[in-house]
Amino acid sequence: MDDVIRAVLIAIAVLLGLFLLGVGLLMWRYRIPPRGLVALATAGFYLVVPVDVIPEALLGPVGLLDDAGVVGVAVLFALRVARARRALLDSGVDFSRRKRSSDLS
């Protein structure tokens, strides 16, 4: 029994690591701000946690709709945040945290 639990925990850790790697790659590629990362990480956590709004054990494939909905909403939110950030950058808003010497005087 302990071997089964260990195997499940290892599988969850590997899947979570792959998910975080994928999210990191998406953040780098599409320049997604931290709010988008939080949304994607929360959706990943919801997928890993065995408690669901619509349980798969009772409803079968229909129970996967809440998981798909959570992931879809998180991805759409992250993309909207990235688009808004890109629009602000294109309009001249500076997101750098360094103070320029001209701003200090």
Side-chain angles (χ1 to χ4, degrees), residues 5 10 16 22-23 47 49 52-54 58 67 69 79 82-83 88 96 99 102:
I5 293 173
I10 289 172
L16 189 59
V23 167
L47 291 175
V49 173
D52 279 340
V53 175
I54 304 173
L58 297 176
D67 296 333
L79 289 175
R83 283 187 197 134
L88 287 171
S96 65
K99 294 283 185 187
S102 62

Side-chain angles (χ1 to χ4, degrees), residues 33-72:
R35 287 185 300 170
L37 173 65
V38 170
L40 292 173
T42 305
F45 181 72
Y46 181 78
L47 291 175
V48 173
V49 173
V51 178
D52 279 340
V53 175
I54 304 173
E56 288 89 12
L58 297 176
L59 300 173
V62 176
L64 296 175
L65 290 177
D66 66 330
D67 296 333
V70 166
V71 170

Side-chain angles (χ1 to χ4, degrees), residues 6 30 41 46 54 71 84 86 101:
R6 174 181 253 154
Y30 295 105
Y46 181 78
I54 304 173
V71 170
R86 182 171 293 142
S101 60

Side-chain angles (χ1 to χ4, degrees), residues 20-33 37 40 78-79 82-83 85-86 89:
L20 290 175
L21 182 67
V23 167
L25 181 65
L26 287 173
M27 279 191 64
W28 174 76
R29 171 68 175 95
Y30 295 105
R31 308 285 191 252
I32 297 175
L37 173 65
L40 292 173
L79 289 175
R83 283 187 197 134
R85 184 176 189 274
R86 182 171 293 142
L89 284 172

